[in-house]
Amino acid sequence: MKITVERDVLAEAVQWVARYLPARPSLPLLSGVLVTADGEGVQLSGFDYETSARIHIAAEVHDEGTALVSGKLLADISRSLPAKPVNITSDATKMELVCGSARFTLQGMPIDEYPELPVMPQPTGTVASEDFAKAVAQVVVAAGRDELLPVFTGVRVEVLGDQLTLLATDRYRMALKELTWTPAGTDLETAALVPAKVLGDAARSMTSGEQVTISLSDPESGDSMIGLAGSGAAGHREITTRLLDGEFPKGVRSLMGIKPLLSVRLSTAELMEAAKRIALVAERNTSLRMGIGDEEIVLEAATGDQAQGSEAISAAVELHGNAEPALTAAGFNPHYLQDALGILDAPVVDFAFTAPGKPCLMTGVASMDDTPLDDYRHVIMLMRLPQ
């Protein structure tokens, strides 16, 4: 193999593929990046039997061929090269990179033993890349990180005609986003549980192009896979990953239909800044207390007798029906509250409360007098406050 490629293109491509390589591979080969040059250009790829990543980049191909070398080492080297074209040659045992006066030689790995990359499923539909990246970011924040509970580390992707719905929960919070997309067929209805980390990384890296293609495998084929394809800074990118087994518990979706007894509406930015400040004195594993008055809320937190903090913010408080006040204070996990406010993407936030210790529904609002936007909903389980 003999190719010439721009340094920045190579560095971006190798680093992107290397992000998907296993930190502790079961086989040494799986730590490698496969470089393939043919008549259609150059492809770099990686695979760990769960997730595959491949990127097609612009390069001048002098001689076709394939090489397999350490992904981490290639990423480190390509990032450190001078800003000049990189000449890459390889044979059965090694790869050589020459960039200006810099020269590196990497030991090759046996290509014959490398696993075959999975085939991308047939396209299920397309969605605007910026919309998809934003939607995924709003949802993955609520996904779990406990590998002992793998179901909750996923995002449920639901397809119903031209509506695409993303849902994630770690049992203490839940996020749901609905957006319009272009399905490949009519009357399409399916669902899949996708690893949240892979989905989040993929969505962020495919925003250079206009759209992302989503490909869900046919359940009847026996495969259990999703494919994502789109453009990034260095070239066309494709990812496949195995779906997670299992389903979210029944009734999870119903939490999005909370009927409030009390609503609180205020500036998202003001609340975010106040929450950051008051959380500085919140003791570990304790709540950020939101006291609810007639025309304001008061955030409070403390670290025993060492430090206390409070801040008042004007708010529109509304009782629904003829009920007595549902609650006068609510306890929030400080990190969960800040996460939700940070990705709400609306100037006003609306809190829908029912009772102490019960789920609270957060939605965005365009202005203080508008109705809540229902395309994105975020639920946080309230923490019990000390009596």
Side-chain angles (χ1 to χ4, degrees):
M1 178 179 68
K2 184 177 181 181
I3 62 175
T4 301
V5 59
E6 292 297 324
R7 190 281 307 267
D8 290 346
V9 172
L10 176 66
E12 171 69 21
V14 177
Q15 289 173 57
W16 180 75
V17 173
R19 284 206 299 267
Y20 296 93
L21 298 178
R24 292 181 292 275
S26 57
L27 298 172
L29 287 174
L30 300 182
S31 66
V33 166
L34 186 68
V35 184
T36 304
D38 56 26
E40 297 181 358
V42 174
Q43 174 181 287
L44 292 86
S45 52
F47 185 39
D48 67 354
Y49 288 109
E50 294 290 332
T51 300
S52 74
R54 62 196 106 190
I55 181 170
H56 304 265
I57 61 173
E60 186 177 353
V61 178
H62 307 289
D63 292 317
E64 299 181 4
T66 305
L68 180 66
V69 295
S70 167
K72 183 180 184 305
L73 194 54
L74 183 59
D76 291 342
I77 290 172
S78 61
R79 186 170 55 240
S80 67
L81 292 173
K84 297 179 180 181
V86 184
N87 295 303
I88 301 176
T89 58
S90 70
D91 56 27
T93 61
K94 66 182 184 299
M95 171 186 284
E96 186 175 75
L97 293 86
V98 178
C99 182
S101 60
R103 183 184 299 268
F104 291 89
T105 301
L106 302 180
Q107 182 180 3
M109 300 179 180
I111 298 173
D112 294 343
E113 300 176 20
Y114 194 73
E116 183 177 354
L117 293 171
V119 177
M120 180 77 71
Q122 289 297 311
T124 307
T126 59
V127 60
S129 59
E130 291 289 349
D131 292 345
F132 185 61
K134 174 183 171 183
V136 171
Q138 289 182 307
V139 170
V140 296
V141 70
R145 294 168 177 78
D146 187 352
E147 297 298 335
L148 298 178
L149 298 170
V151 167
F152 296 107
T153 65
V155 172
R156 180 175 169 83
V157 179
E158 302 174 357
V159 174
L160 182 58
D162 65 353
Q163 186 175 69
L164 183 66
T165 302
L166 307 176
L167 174 67
T169 180
D170 63 1
R171 300 177 299 158
Y172 303 104
R173 52 184 168 172
M174 179 170 60
L176 181 145
K177 176 68 176 181
E178 297 174 335
L179 65 162
T180 302
W181 79 322
T182 304
T186 58
D187 301 325
L188 186 61
E189 183 175 355
T190 187
L193 193 59
V194 185
K197 186 179 185 305
V198 176
L199 186 63
D201 288 344
R204 284 194 303 271
S205 71
M206 296 183 180
T207 55
S208 293
E210 293 184 358
Q211 63 185 25
V212 172
T213 299
I214 301 175
S215 304
L216 287 167
S217 59
D218 184 352
E220 296 182 359
S221 68
D223 293 329
S224 181
M225 182 188 304
I226 186 173
L228 300 168
S231 296
H236 182 74
R237 307 176 179 199
E238 297 178 353
I239 287 177
T240 67
T241 191
R242 292 190 179 279
L243 302 178
L244 296 171
D245 293 327
E247 292 284 349
F248 289 156
K250 293 182 179 179
V252 166
R253 184 74 173 267
S254 65
L255 293 176
M256 292 297 178
I258 289 174
K259 302 297 182 184
L261 298 178
L262 176 70
S263 295
V264 175
R265 186 172 292 189
L266 66 161
S267 165
T268 305
E270 287 185 28
L271 180 58
M272 182 66 173
E273 291 303 313
K276 287 180 180 179
R277 285 190 286 268
I278 303 304
L280 294 174
V281 297
E283 193 170 19
R284 182 177 176 84
N285 298 324
T286 60
S287 64
L288 188 67
R289 184 182 187 275
M290 179 189 288
I292 302 171
D294 293 333
E295 296 181 349
E296 68 175 17
I297 62 101
V298 178
L299 291 183
E300 298 176 303
T303 302
D305 296 328
Q306 299 178 15
Q308 296 83 35
S310 68
E311 185 167 345
I313 308 172
S314 60
V317 180
E318 180 183 359
L319 281 173
H320 297 276
N322 299 319
E324 292 297 319
L327 72 171
T328 57
F332 286 91
N333 179 302
H335 303 294
Y336 292 177
L337 179 61
Q338 291 178 67
D339 286 346
L341 293 171
I343 44 83
L344 191 61
D345 193 33
V348 176
V349 57
D350 183 278
F351 291 86
F353 295 105
T354 55
K358 298 295 184 181
C360 168
L361 173 63
M362 297 173 59
T363 51
V365 191
S367 71
M368 292 293 287
D369 299 322
D370 284 329
T371 56
L373 305 170
D374 61 0
D375 63 320
Y376 178 67
R377 286 164 278 174
H378 196 107
V379 169
I380 296 179
M381 297 296 295
L382 297 180
M383 300 177 69
R384 294 196 177 276
L385 295 171
Q387 299 298 320

PDB file of all heavy atoms in Angstrom, residues 83-115:
ATOM      1  N   ALA A  83       2.496  19.962  10.006  1.00  0.00           N
ATOM      2  CA  ALA A  83       1.355  20.246   9.126  1.00  0.00           C
ATOM      3  C   ALA A  83       1.779  20.159   7.665  1.00  0.00           C
ATOM      4  O   ALA A  83       1.864  21.165   6.941  1.00  0.00           O
ATOM      5  CB  ALA A  83       0.785  21.611   9.453  1.00  0.00           C
ATOM      6  N   LYS A  84       2.042  18.942   7.216  1.00  0.00           N
ATOM      7  CA  LYS A  84       2.444  18.670   5.833  1.00  0.00           C
ATOM      8  C   LYS A  84       1.780  17.374   5.373  1.00  0.00           C
ATOM      9  O   LYS A  84       1.296  16.598   6.193  1.00  0.00           O
ATOM     10  CB  LYS A  84       3.966  18.533   5.748  1.00  0.00           C
ATOM     11  CG  LYS A  84       4.734  19.789   6.119  1.00  0.00           C
ATOM     12  CD  LYS A  84       6.232  19.544   6.029  1.00  0.00           C
ATOM     13  CE  LYS A  84       7.015  20.815   6.403  1.00  0.00           C
ATOM     14  NZ  LYS A  84       8.483  20.607   6.306  1.00  0.00           N
ATOM     15  N   PRO A  85       1.744  17.125   4.063  1.00  0.00           N
ATOM     16  CA  PRO A  85       1.196  15.847   3.587  1.00  0.00           C
ATOM     17  C   PRO A  85       1.974  14.670   4.163  1.00  0.00           C
ATOM     18  O   PRO A  85       3.188  14.740   4.373  1.00  0.00           O
ATOM     19  CB  PRO A  85       1.364  15.938   2.063  1.00  0.00           C
ATOM     20  CG  PRO A  85       1.400  17.406   1.776  1.00  0.00           C
ATOM     21  CD  PRO A  85       2.090  18.026   2.949  1.00  0.00           C
ATOM     22  N   VAL A  86       1.243  13.587   4.430  1.00  0.00           N
ATOM     23  CA  VAL A  86       1.836  12.386   5.019  1.00  0.00           C
ATOM     24  C   VAL A  86       1.883  11.294   3.955  1.00  0.00           C
ATOM     25  O   VAL A  86       0.857  10.966   3.335  1.00  0.00           O
ATOM     26  CB  VAL A  86       1.022  11.896   6.233  1.00  0.00           C
ATOM     27  CG1 VAL A  86       1.707  10.705   6.889  1.00  0.00           C
ATOM     28  CG2 VAL A  86       0.811  13.022   7.233  1.00  0.00           C
ATOM     29  N   ASN A  87       3.049  10.726   3.736  1.00  0.00           N
ATOM     30  CA  ASN A  87       3.217   9.604   2.822  1.00  0.00           C
ATOM     31  C   ASN A  87       3.255   8.309   3.634  1.00  0.00           C
ATOM     32  O   ASN A  87       4.087   8.172   4.540  1.00  0.00           O
ATOM     33  CB  ASN A  87       4.505   9.750   1.999  1.00  0.00           C
ATOM     34  CG  ASN A  87       4.463  10.952   1.071  1.00  0.00           C
ATOM     35  OD1 ASN A  87       3.565  11.066   0.238  1.00  0.00           O
ATOM     36  ND2 ASN A  87       5.414  11.866   1.228  1.00  0.00           N
ATOM     37  N   ILE A  88       2.351   7.406   3.327  1.00  0.00           N
ATOM     38  CA  ILE A  88       2.242   6.155   4.072  1.00  0.00           C
ATOM     39  C   ILE A  88       2.477   4.986   3.121  1.00  0.00           C
ATOM     40  O   ILE A  88       1.848   4.893   2.060  1.00  0.00           O
ATOM     41  CB  ILE A  88       0.849   6.015   4.722  1.00  0.00           C
ATOM     42  CG1 ILE A  88       0.584   7.183   5.670  1.00  0.00           C
ATOM     43  CG2 ILE A  88       0.724   4.690   5.456  1.00  0.00           C
ATOM     44  CD1 ILE A  88      -0.808   7.177   6.272  1.00  0.00           C
ATOM     45  N   THR A  89       3.396   4.113   3.510  1.00  0.00           N
ATOM     46  CA  THR A  89       3.636   2.880   2.758  1.00  0.00           C
ATOM     47  C   THR A  89       3.590   1.705   3.732  1.00  0.00           C
ATOM     48  O   THR A  89       3.874   1.865   4.921  1.00  0.00           O
ATOM     49  CB  THR A  89       5.002   2.910   2.049  1.00  0.00           C
ATOM     50  OG1 THR A  89       6.030   3.105   3.020  1.00  0.00           O
ATOM     51  CG2 THR A  89       5.056   4.021   1.012  1.00  0.00           C
ATOM     52  N   SER A  90       3.217   0.551   3.219  1.00  0.00           N
ATOM     53  CA  SER A  90       3.171  -0.629   4.084  1.00  0.00           C
ATOM     54  C   SER A  90       3.437  -1.875   3.270  1.00  0.00           C
ATOM     55  O   SER A  90       3.212  -1.919   2.052  1.00  0.00           O
ATOM     56  CB  SER A  90       1.803  -0.738   4.773  1.00  0.00           C
ATOM     57  OG  SER A  90       0.798  -1.077   3.837  1.00  0.00           O
ATOM     58  N   ASP A  91       3.919  -2.888   3.990  1.00  0.00           N
ATOM     59  CA  ASP A  91       4.051  -4.219   3.407  1.00  0.00           C
ATOM     60  C   ASP A  91       3.463  -5.216   4.399  1.00  0.00           C
ATOM     61  O   ASP A  91       2.717  -4.818   5.307  1.00  0.00           O
ATOM     62  CB  ASP A  91       5.517  -4.540   3.059  1.00  0.00           C
ATOM     63  CG  ASP A  91       6.445  -4.403   4.260  1.00  0.00           C
ATOM     64  OD1 ASP A  91       5.968  -4.574   5.413  1.00  0.00           O
ATOM     65  OD2 ASP A  91       7.637  -4.129   4.063  1.00  0.00           O
ATOM     66  N   ALA A  92       3.796  -6.457   4.288  1.00  0.00           N
ATOM     67  CA  ALA A  92       3.175  -7.490   5.123  1.00  0.00           C
ATOM     68  C   ALA A  92       3.577  -7.388   6.589  1.00  0.00           C
ATOM     69  O   ALA A  92       2.889  -7.936   7.462  1.00  0.00           O
ATOM     70  CB  ALA A  92       3.532  -8.879   4.589  1.00  0.00           C
ATOM     71  N   THR A  93       4.640  -6.671   6.905  1.00  0.00           N
ATOM     72  CA  THR A  93       5.139  -6.672   8.285  1.00  0.00           C
ATOM     73  C   THR A  93       5.161  -5.304   8.965  1.00  0.00           C
ATOM     74  O   THR A  93       5.235  -5.225  10.187  1.00  0.00           O
ATOM     75  CB  THR A  93       6.571  -7.239   8.339  1.00  0.00           C
ATOM     76  OG1 THR A  93       7.433  -6.420   7.540  1.00  0.00           O
ATOM     77  CG2 THR A  93       6.590  -8.674   7.811  1.00  0.00           C
ATOM     78  N   LYS A  94       5.112  -4.216   8.185  1.00  0.00           N
ATOM     79  CA  LYS A  94       5.254  -2.899   8.811  1.00  0.00           C
ATOM     80  C   LYS A  94       4.553  -1.816   8.002  1.00  0.00           C
ATOM     81  O   LYS A  94       4.205  -2.007   6.831  1.00  0.00           O
ATOM     82  CB  LYS A  94       6.735  -2.550   8.972  1.00  0.00           C
ATOM     83  CG  LYS A  94       7.478  -2.359   7.667  1.00  0.00           C
ATOM     84  CD  LYS A  94       8.942  -2.065   7.899  1.00  0.00           C
ATOM     85  CE  LYS A  94       9.699  -1.783   6.606  1.00  0.00           C
ATOM     86  NZ  LYS A  94       9.661  -2.932   5.671  1.00  0.00           N
ATOM     87  N   MET A  95       4.346  -0.659   8.683  1.00  0.00           N
ATOM     88  CA  MET A  95       3.840   0.548   8.035  1.00  0.00           C
ATOM     89  C   MET A  95       4.826   1.673   8.303  1.00  0.00           C
ATOM     90  O   MET A  95       5.313   1.830   9.422  1.00  0.00           O
ATOM     91  CB  MET A  95       2.456   0.937   8.581  1.00  0.00           C
ATOM     92  CG  MET A  95       1.973   2.309   8.103  1.00  0.00           C
ATOM     93  SD  MET A  95       0.426   2.857   8.888  1.00  0.00           S
ATOM     94  CE  MET A  95      -0.749   1.851   7.997  1.00  0.00           C
ATOM     95  N   GLU A  96       5.114   2.463   7.277  1.00  0.00           N
ATOM     96  CA  GLU A  96       6.026   3.587   7.417  1.00  0.00           C
ATOM     97  C   GLU A  96       5.295   4.881   7.098  1.00  0.00           C
ATOM     98  O   GLU A  96       4.600   4.984   6.094  1.00  0.00           O
ATOM     99  CB  GLU A  96       7.228   3.423   6.487  1.00  0.00           C
ATOM    100  CG  GLU A  96       8.300   4.501   6.702  1.00  0.00           C
ATOM    101  CD  GLU A  96       9.533   4.256   5.859  1.00  0.00           C
ATOM    102  OE1 GLU A  96       9.460   4.510   4.639  1.00  0.00           O
ATOM    103  OE2 GLU A  96      10.563   3.828   6.420  1.00  0.00           O
ATOM    104  N   LEU A  97       5.447   5.891   7.984  1.00  0.00           N
ATOM    105  CA  LEU A  97       4.852   7.202   7.787  1.00  0.00           C
ATOM    106  C   LEU A  97       5.988   8.215   7.654  1.00  0.00           C
ATOM    107  O   LEU A  97       6.889   8.277   8.502  1.00  0.00           O
ATOM    108  CB  LEU A  97       3.963   7.616   8.970  1.00  0.00           C
ATOM    109  CG  LEU A  97       2.675   6.835   9.209  1.00  0.00           C
ATOM    110  CD1 LEU A  97       2.947   5.592  10.072  1.00  0.00           C
ATOM    111  CD2 LEU A  97       1.635   7.717   9.901  1.00  0.00           C
ATOM    112  N   VAL A  98       5.945   9.013   6.586  1.00  0.00           N
ATOM    113  CA  VAL A  98       6.946  10.050   6.349  1.00  0.00           C
ATOM    114  C   VAL A  98       6.215  11.363   6.169  1.00  0.00           C
ATOM    115  O   VAL A  98       5.341  11.504   5.308  1.00  0.00           O
ATOM    116  CB  VAL A  98       7.805   9.745   5.108  1.00  0.00           C
ATOM    117  CG1 VAL A  98       8.807  10.882   4.875  1.00  0.00           C
ATOM    118  CG2 VAL A  98       8.522   8.415   5.268  1.00  0.00           C
ATOM    119  N   CYS A  99       6.568  12.356   7.007  1.00  0.00           N
ATOM    120  CA  CYS A  99       5.930  13.680   6.949  1.00  0.00           C
ATOM    121  C   CYS A  99       7.019  14.713   7.149  1.00  0.00           C
ATOM    122  O   CYS A  99       7.539  14.882   8.272  1.00  0.00           O
ATOM    123  CB  CYS A  99       4.854  13.797   8.023  1.00  0.00           C
ATOM    124  SG  CYS A  99       3.965  15.370   8.000  1.00  0.00           S
ATOM    125  N   GLY A 100       7.405  15.398   6.061  1.00  0.00           N
ATOM    126  CA  GLY A 100       8.558  16.286   6.142  1.00  0.00           C
ATOM    127  C   GLY A 100       9.788  15.479   6.478  1.00  0.00           C
ATOM    128  O   GLY A 100      10.082  14.465   5.824  1.00  0.00           O
ATOM    129  N   SER A 101      10.506  15.868   7.502  1.00  0.00           N
ATOM    130  CA  SER A 101      11.698  15.117   7.916  1.00  0.00           C
ATOM    131  C   SER A 101      11.375  14.084   8.998  1.00  0.00           C
ATOM    132  O   SER A 101      12.270  13.354   9.433  1.00  0.00           O
ATOM    133  CB  SER A 101      12.771  16.081   8.440  1.00  0.00           C
ATOM    134  OG  SER A 101      12.283  16.803   9.556  1.00  0.00           O
ATOM    135  N   ALA A 102      10.112  14.023   9.429  1.00  0.00           N
ATOM    136  CA  ALA A 102       9.709  13.044  10.452  1.00  0.00           C
ATOM    137  C   ALA A 102       9.415  11.705   9.787  1.00  0.00           C
ATOM    138  O   ALA A 102       8.759  11.644   8.745  1.00  0.00           O
ATOM    139  CB  ALA A 102       8.488  13.539  11.216  1.00  0.00           C
ATOM    140  N   ARG A 103       9.892  10.645  10.399  1.00  0.00           N
ATOM    141  CA  ARG A 103       9.702   9.299   9.853  1.00  0.00           C
ATOM    142  C   ARG A 103       9.403   8.330  10.995  1.00  0.00           C
ATOM    143  O   ARG A 103      10.107   8.303  12.008  1.00  0.00           O
ATOM    144  CB  ARG A 103      10.960   8.850   9.111  1.00  0.00           C
ATOM    145  CG  ARG A 103      10.858   7.488   8.437  1.00  0.00           C
ATOM    146  CD  ARG A 103      12.202   7.110   7.819  1.00  0.00           C
ATOM    147  NE  ARG A 103      12.599   8.073   6.805  1.00  0.00           N
ATOM    148  CZ  ARG A 103      12.303   7.949   5.510  1.00  0.00           C
ATOM    149  NH1 ARG A 103      11.597   6.898   5.090  1.00  0.00           N
ATOM    150  NH2 ARG A 103      12.716   8.861   4.641  1.00  0.00           N
ATOM    151  N   PHE A 104       8.341   7.556  10.844  1.00  0.00           N
ATOM    152  CA  PHE A 104       7.957   6.566  11.851  1.00  0.00           C
ATOM    153  C   PHE A 104       7.700   5.227  11.166  1.00  0.00           C
ATOM    154  O   PHE A 104       7.176   5.178  10.045  1.00  0.00           O
ATOM    155  CB  PHE A 104       6.681   6.989  12.594  1.00  0.00           C
ATOM    156  CG  PHE A 104       6.845   8.171  13.494  1.00  0.00           C
ATOM    157  CD1 PHE A 104       6.649   9.458  13.008  1.00  0.00           C
ATOM    158  CD2 PHE A 104       7.201   8.009  14.825  1.00  0.00           C
ATOM    159  CE1 PHE A 104       6.797  10.559  13.835  1.00  0.00           C
ATOM    160  CE2 PHE A 104       7.357   9.106  15.662  1.00  0.00           C
ATOM    161  CZ  PHE A 104       7.157  10.383  15.158  1.00  0.00           C
ATOM    162  N   THR A 105       8.067   4.163  11.864  1.00  0.00           N
ATOM    163  CA  THR A 105       7.792   2.810  11.383  1.00  0.00           C
ATOM    164  C   THR A 105       7.014   2.061  12.461  1.00  0.00           C
ATOM    165  O   THR A 105       7.442   2.015  13.625  1.00  0.00           O
ATOM    166  CB  THR A 105       9.091   2.050  11.067  1.00  0.00           C
ATOM    167  OG1 THR A 105       9.827   2.764  10.069  1.00  0.00           O
ATOM    168  CG2 THR A 105       8.775   0.650  10.548  1.00  0.00           C
ATOM    169  N   LEU A 106       5.858   1.503  12.084  1.00  0.00           N
ATOM    170  CA  LEU A 106       5.018   0.750  13.004  1.00  0.00           C
ATOM    171  C   LEU A 106       4.975  -0.711  12.598  1.00  0.00           C
ATOM    172  O   LEU A 106       4.913  -1.034  11.403  1.00  0.00           O
ATOM    173  CB  LEU A 106       3.580   1.302  13.002  1.00  0.00           C
ATOM    174  CG  LEU A 106       3.399   2.780  13.359  1.00  0.00           C
ATOM    175  CD1 LEU A 106       1.920   3.136  13.315  1.00  0.00           C
ATOM    176  CD2 LEU A 106       3.974   3.061  14.719  1.00  0.00           C
ATOM    177  N   GLN A 107       5.015  -1.590  13.597  1.00  0.00           N
ATOM    178  CA  GLN A 107       4.921  -3.015  13.326  1.00  0.00           C
ATOM    179  C   GLN A 107       3.502  -3.356  12.906  1.00  0.00           C
ATOM    180  O   GLN A 107       2.523  -2.909  13.514  1.00  0.00           O
ATOM    181  CB  GLN A 107       5.295  -3.817  14.566  1.00  0.00           C
ATOM    182  CG  GLN A 107       5.263  -5.329  14.345  1.00  0.00           C
ATOM    183  CD  GLN A 107       5.651  -6.093  15.592  1.00  0.00           C
ATOM    184  OE1 GLN A 107       5.902  -5.494  16.645  1.00  0.00           O
ATOM    185  NE2 GLN A 107       5.708  -7.409  15.496  1.00  0.00           N
ATOM    186  N   GLY A 108       3.391  -4.156  11.868  1.00  0.00           N
ATOM    187  CA  GLY A 108       2.080  -4.577  11.397  1.00  0.00           C
ATOM    188  C   GLY A 108       1.547  -5.772  12.175  1.00  0.00           C
ATOM    189  O   GLY A 108       2.311  -6.536  12.766  1.00  0.00           O
ATOM    190  N   MET A 109       0.231  -5.891  12.220  1.00  0.00           N
ATOM    191  CA  MET A 109      -0.423  -7.043  12.830  1.00  0.00           C
ATOM    192  C   MET A 109      -0.951  -7.959  11.723  1.00  0.00           C
ATOM    193  O   MET A 109      -1.205  -7.504  10.606  1.00  0.00           O
ATOM    194  CB  MET A 109      -1.585  -6.572  13.715  1.00  0.00           C
ATOM    195  CG  MET A 109      -1.196  -5.644  14.851  1.00  0.00           C
ATOM    196  SD  MET A 109      -2.650  -5.120  15.820  1.00  0.00           S
ATOM    197  CE  MET A 109      -1.879  -4.057  17.046  1.00  0.00           C
ATOM    198  N   PRO A 110      -1.133  -9.249  12.033  1.00  0.00           N
ATOM    199  CA  PRO A 110      -1.596 -10.191  10.996  1.00  0.00           C
ATOM    200  C   PRO A 110      -3.031  -9.904  10.555  1.00  0.00           C
ATOM    201  O   PRO A 110      -3.986 -10.113  11.309  1.00  0.00           O
ATOM    202  CB  PRO A 110      -1.480 -11.559  11.685  1.00  0.00           C
ATOM    203  CG  PRO A 110      -1.461 -11.260  13.150  1.00  0.00           C
ATOM    204  CD  PRO A 110      -0.835  -9.921  13.304  1.00  0.00           C
ATOM    205  N   ILE A 111      -3.170  -9.434   9.339  1.00  0.00           N
ATOM    206  CA  ILE A 111      -4.490  -9.045   8.820  1.00  0.00           C
ATOM    207  C   ILE A 111      -5.407 -10.250   8.661  1.00  0.00           C
ATOM    208  O   ILE A 111      -6.627 -10.150   8.854  1.00  0.00           O
ATOM    209  CB  ILE A 111      -4.312  -8.311   7.475  1.00  0.00           C
ATOM    210  CG1 ILE A 111      -3.489  -7.035   7.688  1.00  0.00           C
ATOM    211  CG2 ILE A 111      -5.662  -7.981   6.851  1.00  0.00           C
ATOM    212  CD1 ILE A 111      -3.128  -6.334   6.401  1.00  0.00           C
ATOM    213  N   ASP A 112      -4.851 -11.397   8.321  1.00  0.00           N
ATOM    214  CA  ASP A 112      -5.675 -12.593   8.074  1.00  0.00           C
ATOM    215  C   ASP A 112      -6.475 -13.010   9.305  1.00  0.00           C
ATOM    216  O   ASP A 112      -7.515 -13.668   9.183  1.00  0.00           O
ATOM    217  CB  ASP A 112      -4.797 -13.758   7.625  1.00  0.00           C
ATOM    218  CG  ASP A 112      -4.158 -13.502   6.271  1.00  0.00           C
ATOM    219  OD1 ASP A 112      -4.655 -12.600   5.560  1.00  0.00           O
ATOM    220  OD2 ASP A 112      -3.171 -14.183   5.946  1.00  0.00           O
ATOM    221  N   GLU A 113      -6.007 -12.648  10.495  1.00  0.00           N
ATOM    222  CA  GLU A 113      -6.686 -13.048  11.715  1.00  0.00           C
ATOM    223  C   GLU A 113      -7.699 -12.011  12.203  1.00  0.00           C
ATOM    224  O   GLU A 113      -8.400 -12.229  13.195  1.00  0.00           O
ATOM    225  CB  GLU A 113      -5.657 -13.303  12.822  1.00  0.00           C
ATOM    226  CG  GLU A 113      -4.662 -14.405  12.479  1.00  0.00           C
ATOM    227  CD  GLU A 113      -3.600 -14.567  13.551  1.00  0.00           C
ATOM    228  OE1 GLU A 113      -3.841 -14.106  14.699  1.00  0.00           O
ATOM    229  OE2 GLU A 113      -2.531 -15.136  13.250  1.00  0.00           O
ATOM    230  N   TYR A 114      -7.766 -10.852  11.520  1.00  0.00           N
ATOM    231  CA  TYR A 114      -8.664  -9.788  11.944  1.00  0.00           C
ATOM    232  C   TYR A 114     -10.107 -10.160  11.595  1.00  0.00           C
ATOM    233  O   TYR A 114     -10.381 -10.662  10.502  1.00  0.00           O
ATOM    234  CB  TYR A 114      -8.287  -8.476  11.260  1.00  0.00           C
ATOM    235  CG  TYR A 114      -8.938  -7.249  11.879  1.00  0.00           C
ATOM    236  CD1 TYR A 114      -8.512  -6.761  13.099  1.00  0.00           C
ATOM    237  CD2 TYR A 114      -9.974  -6.587  11.233  1.00  0.00           C
ATOM    238  CE1 TYR A 114      -9.089  -5.640  13.676  1.00  0.00           C
ATOM    239  CE2 TYR A 114     -10.563  -5.457  11.791  1.00  0.00           C
ATOM    240  CZ  TYR A 114     -10.118  -4.996  13.014  1.00  0.00           C
ATOM    241  OH  TYR A 114     -10.707  -3.891  13.588  1.00  0.00           O
ATOM    242  N   PRO A 115     -11.074  -9.925  12.515  1.00  0.00           N
ATOM    243  CA  PRO A 115     -12.462 -10.310  12.240  1.00  0.00           C
ATOM    244  C   PRO A 115     -13.071  -9.490  11.100  1.00  0.00           C
ATOM    245  O   PRO A 115     -12.699  -8.339  10.880  1.00  0.00           O
ATOM    246  CB  PRO A 115     -13.180 -10.022  13.563  1.00  0.00           C
ATOM    247  CG  PRO A 115     -12.331  -8.996  14.245  1.00  0.00           C
ATOM    248  CD  PRO A 115     -10.918  -9.320  13.852  1.00  0.00           C
TER     249      PRO A 115
END
